[in-house]
Amino acid sequence: MADTTNKAASDGQGYWKANLRLIYTLLIIWALASFGFGILLRPALSGIEVGGTDLGFWFAQQGSILVFLVLIFFYAWRMNKLDRDYGVDE
Amino acid sequence: MDQTTLNIIVVGLSFVLYFGIAIWARAGSTSEFYAAGRGVNPVINGMATAADWMSAASFISMAGLIAFVGYNNSSFLMGWTGGYVLMAMLLAPYLRKFGKFTVPEFIGDRFYSTTARIVAVVALIVISVTYVIGQMTGAGVAFSRFLEVSSTNGLLIASAVVFVYAVLGGMKGITYTQVAQYCVLIIAYTIPAIFISLQLTGNPIPGLGLFSDMSAGNGGEGTPLLVTLDGLLTDLGFNEYTTGSSPWLMALFTLSLMIGTAGLPHVIIRFFTVPKVSDARWSAGWALVFIALLYLTAPAVGAMARLNITTTLWPNGVQNEAVAADELPDWFATWSATGLLGVEDKNGDGRIQYYNDENQRELAALIEAEGPTGDQTQAEYDSRVAELQSDPTVVRAGERGWEGNELVTFNQDILVLANPEIAQLPGWVIALIAAGGIAAALSTAAGLLLAISSAISHDLIKSAINPDISEKNELLAARISMAGAIVLATWLGLNPPGFAAQTVALAFGLAAASLFPTLMMGIFVKKINAAGATAGMLAGLILTCLYLFTYLGWFFIPGTNMLENNAANYLFGIPPTHFGPIGAVANFAVAFIVSGMTKPTPAHIQELVESVRIPRGAGAAQDH
C-alpha cells in the first residue's frame, strides 16, 4: 500500500500497522472457523464426535457464529485500547 | 375467541406501539432523518441493525431452508453472520469516522468523482429495490396467512404502516420502531423453539438441544437427536441430514453471502447513527449478538420441526404402518387449508405414506420409455434400471404397496409457522408468530426504503441537481423521496416482475461485486483513484449481471437465457448464485490496473484517507 505523504507520520503509521496486523490475525481465525472447520477441513475433524455428529457440523451450524461474536468484541476492545495507547481516541 | 381475532388483536397492538414510537421519534432535521441525529446507543443500534437485517425470509423461511437440505445449507448461517466480522473490521468504524449520511457520498468524496458517486447510487438502488420487492410480497403473505385478508390488502396495510413511521421519523423513527420490532420477532421465534427443544431433549436452549440426546417419551430415548433424524430420513429414502457434498462450492457460496452482507447499504448506514467510532465497533458486535439469538436457534427449529413432522406421519416408526389419514392432528388440517401442507392417499389404503419417491418415479419413467432415450446407450439404460430396482426405498415401496409420496405439499415455511401448534402452545403464541413475521418484513422494508430515499434526496437532489437546497427543503425532499420509494415498492410488490424469485441472489451478488470492494479499497488502499474505482465498480457490476443474465435470462426475462441453467454449462462449475466473489475479484483487479495507469490520487484525498483511518475528530465531523 502506498502510504507516502503524511505529517503525523510515525504515530499514525504505527497505529495503522497495528490495526492491520490485528485484522490479519482475526480474519485468519474467521476463515479457519467457517471455511476451515465448518466446510473444507470437516473430513479431517470427523473423528471428533459432538452430539451424534462431528465437530465440523457443529462448527457449520453453531460454532462459527460463536467464534464471529468473540472476534468482533475482541476487535472492538483491542482497537479502543489501541486508540488510547496511540493517542488517537475521540 | 377464535385464532384470527386473537391474531388481529396482537398484530393491532404491535402497530399501536410502532405508531406511538413514530410520534415520539419525529425527525426535525436532515441529520435526524438520515442518521437519527447520531445519538443512538450502540446496543440499541445493534438491536435495530438485527431487525433491519433479519427479513421475513430469515424469520419464516430460513429454518425450513436448512431443514430440507441439511448440512449444505449451513452456508446461510455462516454467510449471513460472517459478513458482520468483515463489516466490523473493514468498513463500519471508518465510514462512521467519515461522518456523512450515505454510502454513495463516501464513494463520491473519497474518489473525488461525481461519476463514481452516480455509479454507486445506481448500484445501491438496484440492490435495494430488488431486495425490497421480496419484503413487500413477504409482508403481504404474512398478513394473508394470519389475518385472513388477501395478500394484496395485506401488502397495502403493510405499506400504510411503513409510510406513517418512515415518512414522519426517517432514520430516527425507523431505528426505534426496529428496536420494538426486534423484541416482537425474537420473542415470537424463541418461545416455541424453547418448548419444542424441552419436549424433545429436555434442554431449554434449542442450539444445545440440537446436539443432545432424545429425552424419554419421544422414541429413540438416549440416542442423539441428529442420529435419530439421520436414521429416519435415510429409511425414507432422503439424504442423511448431517452429510454434505461439494465443499468448495459450499465455501464459495458462503463467501458470496458474507461479502454481500458486508456490502448491503441499508445495513452499512445503520452504523452512521452511533455517536463515536468506538461505538460503531461495539455496535457491530451487539448487532451480531441479537442476530445470533435467532441464527443459533434456526437450525434447531428446522431439524426439530422436520423430526416432529416425520414422526407425526410415522407414529409407530418407519418399519410399521404409516399414520391413518383420519388420525392426523388438528394442526395438519388447519395448515392444509392454507395450501402449505397437502396429502393425497394415492394407493387408497387410508394411510399417508411420506417418503422420497424420486427413484421410484425415475424407474417408472424408464420402464415406460421401454428403452434408452436421448444420447443414453442401451448398456447405460440397463444398468440404471438395475440400480434403481435394487434401491432400498424402491424395494420397500414395492413390497408395501406404496404408490408415491402421499405428503404431496410440504412448504418449507411450515417448519416455523406450525411450531406453536406442534408444541401445543396456547393461541397467543400463534398470534405472536403472526406479529413476529410481520415485524420482520416491516423492519427490513423500512431500512431499505431509507437507503433508497436518502440516496435520491441526498446524493441526487442535494449533490447533483440542486447543491444550494436549504436544510428545510432537503428534509422535505427526503420525505417526498421516502413517500415515492414506498409507492414504487408497493407497486412492484403488487406487480412483481417475473424475476422476483431470483432477486435475492442478484442483490447479494451485486453488493459483493460492486459496493464492498470499492468501499474497502477507499479505506485501505490510498493509490486507488477516481478512474480506478469507477472502472472497478462498473467491471464488477457488469460482469456479475452478464453472468446472471447468461443463465437466468436477459433482465431475468424467462426464455432469453443464452445457456441452460444447469451445472454442465457453468463456467468452472460456478452457479450464478455463487458468482459474487468472482465479481469482487474483477472489481479489485480492474481498480488496481486502471489506477496504476492513470494519474495518482491527489494529496488532499490521501489526507482524507489518513483522517478516516483515525478515530480522533469524529465528533467534529458530526456537525455536517
Side-chain angles (χ1 to χ4, degrees):
Chain A
M1 281 170 215
D3 287 359
T4 43
T5 50
N6 205 281
K7 356 159 194 147
S10 64
D11 258 348
Q13 298 294 324
Y15 169 78
W16 188 245
K17 286 223 172 81
N19 180 21
L20 290 181
R21 262 200 310 278
L22 185 59
I23 292 175
Y24 289 139
T25 316
L26 297 183
L27 284 186
I28 288 171
I29 303 172
W30 165 81
L32 200 63
S34 50
F35 304 112
F37 298 158
I39 304 176
L40 301 172
L41 299 176
R42 189 181 172 200
L45 299 171
S46 60
I48 308 168
E49 199 188 300
V50 179
T53 177
D54 55 283
L55 190 64
F57 184 87
W58 181 81
F59 260 101
Q61 301 218 324
Q62 302 276 315
S64 56
I65 300 176
L66 297 170
V67 171
F68 298 155
L69 274 173
V70 173
L71 291 177
I72 298 182
F73 277 105
F74 181 79
Y75 180 75
W77 169 76
R78 186 81 195 122
M79 281 309 288
N80 292 348
K81 190 168 171 297
L82 275 183
D83 290 352
R84 286 190 298 276
D85 291 351
Y86 282 88
V88 293
D89 55 325
E90 297 145 272
Chain B
M1 196 186 324
D2 71 344
Q3 187 62 47
T4 309
T5 319
L6 193 58
N7 289 354
I8 291 173
I9 291 174
V10 172
V11 172
L13 282 175
S14 73
F15 285 178
V16 170
L17 177 67
Y18 307 153
F19 289 143
I21 292 169
I23 292 166
W24 169 71
R26 282 186 314 276
S29 66
T30 48
S31 169
E32 287 189 345
F33 196 91
Y34 293 136
R38 303 201 200 276
V40 182
N41 175 289
V43 183
I44 296 291
N45 184 53
M47 219 181 251
T49 308
D52 198 52
W53 171 239
M54 292 189 289
S55 57
S58 283
F59 186 88
I60 298 174
S61 306
M62 193 177 63
L65 211 57
I66 297 163
F68 278 114
V69 174
Y71 166 76
N72 265 82
N73 270 3
S74 310
S75 286
F76 290 107
L77 295 168
M78 291 185 281
W80 285 342
T81 54
Y84 280 85
V85 178
L86 300 178
M87 192 155 348
M89 295 180 195
L90 304 178
L91 302 181
Y94 320 102
L95 294 178
R96 170 62 195 88
K97 168 61 199 296
F98 182 65
K100 298 288 176 69
F101 292 137
T102 70
V103 170
E105 191 173 16
F106 172 77
I107 292 178
D109 285 7
R110 160 61 182 88
F111 297 109
Y112 48 99
S113 157
T114 312
T115 317
R117 188 168 180 172
I118 302 290
V119 173
V121 170
V122 171
L124 182 149
I125 289 179
V126 172
I127 294 164
S128 303
V129 168
T130 48
Y131 214 110
V132 85
I133 298 171
Q135 298 312 309
M136 300 311 278
T137 47
V141 170
F143 273 95
S144 65
R145 252 167 224 173
F146 294 110
L147 305 182
E148 290 181 11
V149 296
S150 70
S151 46
T152 306
N153 287 339
L155 202 157
L156 292 174
I157 299 171
S159 305
V161 174
V162 173
F163 193 95
V164 171
Y165 69 76
V167 173
L168 204 58
M171 183 58 119
K172 194 175 169 198
I174 289 171
T175 300
Y176 295 103
T177 36
Q178 279 175 336
V179 170
Q181 283 156 345
Y182 176 79
C183 296
V184 172
L185 78 86
I186 200 68
I187 291 170
Y189 202 83
T190 45
I191 287 182
I194 289 170
F195 277 94
I196 289 182
S197 180
L198 273 173
Q199 283 168 4
L200 286 178
T201 66
N203 195 320
I205 299 169
L208 295 176
L210 180 62
F211 295 90
S212 300
D213 293 347
M214 301 287 284
S215 59
N218 290 304
E221 184 183 340
T223 319
L225 185 140
L226 284 167
V227 172
T228 312
L229 183 59
D230 271 349
L232 267 180
L233 293 180
T234 43
D235 280 348
L236 293 172
F238 295 102
N239 289 333
E240 213 177 50
Y241 196 76
T242 53
T243 312
S245 58
S246 344
W248 285 102
L249 277 184
M250 184 179 168
L252 188 66
F253 186 50
T254 307
L255 184 63
S256 182
L257 295 176
M258 283 177 175
I259 310 178
T261 300
L264 285 179
H266 71 287
V267 184
I268 296 174
I269 56 171
R270 285 237 47 96
F271 293 96
F272 297 173
T273 67
V274 295
K276 295 193 295 181
V277 174
S278 54
D279 291 332
R281 296 181 186 131
W282 288 125
S283 199
W286 285 110
L288 190 56
V289 167
F290 296 119
I291 291 168
L293 284 178
L294 193 143
Y295 275 50
L296 291 171
T297 307
V301 166
M304 288 174 187
R306 189 153 183 211
L307 181 64
N308 268 326
I309 290 175
T310 310
T311 48
T312 302
L313 292 162
W314 293 98
N316 306 309
V318 181
Q319 311 307 332
N320 294 302
E321 289 292 351
V323 70
D326 52 12
E327 280 171 16
L328 284 168
D330 289 343
W331 57 262
F332 222 93
T334 321
W335 288 102
S336 300
T338 63
L340 297 182
L341 282 175
V343 295
E344 185 193 337
D345 188 5
K346 290 177 183 165
N347 60 357
D349 64 351
R351 294 180 180 278
I352 301 301
Q353 285 92 21
Y354 163 56
Y355 66 105
N356 183 0
D357 61 3
E358 225 169 84
N359 288 341
Q360 199 183 4
R361 279 187 285 130
E362 188 187 341
L363 180 63
L366 285 177
I367 290 172
E368 198 180 342
E370 292 175 349
T373 47
D375 40 9
Q376 198 178 32
T377 66
Q378 185 66 40
E380 278 167 358
Y381 174 85
D382 291 340
S383 79
R384 185 68 187 148
V385 169
E387 192 185 341
L388 288 170
Q389 275 167 339
S390 61
D391 175 84
T393 311
V394 175
V395 172
R396 179 177 293 148
E399 283 167 358
R400 295 171 68 175
W402 298 348
E403 288 172 14
N405 173 29
E406 296 179 348
L407 181 63
V408 287
T409 315
F410 190 0
N411 187 296
Q412 62 187 18
D413 296 355
I414 206 77
L415 297 183
V416 169
L417 297 175
N419 260 345
E421 285 143 303
I422 295 174
Q424 293 166 338
L425 297 174
W428 63 267
V429 181
I430 302 169
L432 256 181
I433 291 263
I438 291 167
L442 292 180
S443 56
T444 307
L448 287 160
L449 289 164
L450 185 84
I452 298 168
S453 65
S454 60
I456 293 170
S457 60
H458 195 64
D459 293 310
L460 291 183
I461 296 176
K462 160 106 175 153
S463 151
I465 298 170
N466 181 7
D468 300 325
I469 192 167
S470 70
E471 152 90 17
K472 203 173 145 228
N473 284 339
E474 193 190 344
L475 182 59
L476 182 65
R479 289 210 157 102
I480 294 171
S481 307
M482 175 63 88
I486 294 173
V487 171
L488 173 74
T490 309
W491 185 81
L492 286 170
L494 291 174
N495 307 286
F499 58 81
Q502 323 283 3
T503 52
V504 172
L506 173 77
F508 276 92
L510 290 181
S514 60
L515 295 178
F516 176 80
T518 306
L519 289 171
M520 196 187 147
M521 288 183 290
I523 298 157
F524 286 85
V525 193
K526 279 190 213 157
K527 71 173 178 198
I528 300 297
N529 59 20
T534 313
M537 260 193 293
L538 285 173
L541 269 178
I542 293 171
L543 189 66
T544 308
C545 283
L546 280 180
Y547 198 76
L548 288 165
F549 292 159
T550 304
Y551 300 102
L552 305 174
W554 289 99
F555 301 94
F556 303 102
I557 298 164
T560 60
N561 51 322
M562 291 178 297
L563 289 169
E564 198 65 28
N565 187 15
N566 63 41
N569 290 331
Y570 296 151
L571 197 63
F572 304 114
I574 300 167
T577 44
H578 298 39
F579 197 75
I582 320 292
V585 169
N587 185 338
F588 281 120
V590 170
F592 270 89
I593 294 167
V594 173
S595 297
M597 295 187 311
T598 45
K599 268 203 294 193
T601 319
H604 72 280
I605 297 296
Q606 303 217 13
E607 273 165 35
L608 172 78
V609 177
E610 286 291 341
S611 84
V612 162
R613 291 175 177 183
I614 288 169
R616 175 154 289 175
Q622 212 169 307
D623 302 318
H624 178 65

